[in-house]
Amino acid sequence: QTLIRNLIVADPGHRLVSVDFGGIEAILVGYEARSARYIRLAKMDVHSFYTAYALNQLDGRVQSSDLPLLSWDDEKLSSHLEGIKQEFRYERNTIYKPLVHGAAYLQSPAGAQEEILKEAGIEYPVRLISKVMDIYFELFPEIRKWQTSVQLQADRDGYLKNVFGYIHRFYKIFD
């Protein structure tokens, strides 16, 4: 990897730069859901935020007094989320991060169970995963509203068109 990077040299007076689009998926979900608060959180760390609330409701490992609040300024919220990320790194990365993305795109609890089992080798009951996914939608009801509006549009029109003009047809959305 380093060898290849060293083969590419910028002309004098120019620089090579790289851009990290690591959080873009969550930001786009916030954009589609028209949620400024979700976009703000996605730019910081929506996964740690969700992890804290899930752990609070599931087993109390995060006390209610330690939950991050969206009313905090960016510096305080970001710092607190970093602490959660460090303390609960394993849970965040193996369970709650995949659930954020899965829930955002209507993955079923059974589908999430299968993914967690495949990726982390952990088998959680579907009932528990469903409860954890419900926490996500309680925190971010605007995501569910966006999902429902897209489903209704696909049901009404029979298709969706993406930003590039590609059409995906649908049949019996709610069956």
Side-chain angles (χ1 to χ4, degrees):
Q1 216 173 353
T2 303
L3 176 67
I4 298 299
R5 273 192 229 128
N6 290 336
L7 293 174
I8 303 169
V9 179
D11 288 338
H14 293 83
R15 293 181 184 197
L16 294 176
V17 296
S18 66
V19 179
D20 178 9
F21 291 107
I24 195 66
E25 189 173 0
I27 294 168
L28 290 173
V29 167
Y31 174 80
E32 292 293 338
R34 291 167 175 60
S35 174
R37 68 190 198 103
Y38 193 89
I39 293 169
R40 174 182 176 238
L41 194 52
K43 288 180 178 181
M44 284 186 210
D45 187 354
V46 68
H47 307 299
S48 294
F49 187 88
Y50 172 56
T51 297
Y53 279 83
L55 290 174
N56 170 263
Q57 289 192 30
L58 288 177
D59 61 16
R61 279 194 283 165
V62 175
Q63 299 298 311
S64 295
S65 59
D66 291 331
L67 289 173
L69 300 175
L70 288 172
S71 59
W72 293 349
D73 64 53
D74 287 357
E75 187 177 323
K76 180 177 180 178
L77 182 56
S78 183
S79 173
H80 195 75
L81 293 175
E82 183 59 34
I84 292 166
K85 183 178 184 177
Q86 295 306 316
E87 185 173 353
F88 301 105
R89 182 174 297 280
Y90 177 77
E91 295 90 337
R92 176 193 180 275
N93 292 340
T94 60
I95 303 164
Y96 302 109
K97 187 174 181 179
L99 286 178
V100 164
H101 294 298
Y105 294 109
L106 290 172
Q107 183 179 39
S108 69
Q113 178 194 44
E114 186 178 311
E115 183 178 338
I116 292 169
L117 179 60
K118 184 176 79 176
E119 296 298 322
I122 303 168
E123 188 167 0
Y124 289 100
V126 171
R127 159 182 58 60
L128 179 63
I129 292 173
S130 181
K131 179 179 178 179
V132 171
M133 288 177 113
D134 288 345
I135 294 167
Y136 175 79
F137 293 116
E138 287 170 20
L139 289 168
F140 310 110
E142 58 272 39
I143 303 300
R144 181 64 84 199
K145 184 177 176 187
W146 160 62
Q147 292 170 334
T148 301
S149 71
V150 171
Q151 288 177 300
L152 290 169
Q153 179 186 351
D155 186 55
R156 181 190 67 233
D157 298 341
Y159 70 91
L160 294 173
K161 187 185 293 188
N162 73 9
V163 296
F164 303 106
Y166 297 113
I167 292 175
H168 186 95
R169 299 200 181 278
F170 295 89
Y171 180 70
K172 295 186 177 183
I173 293 291
F174 297 105
D175 287 346

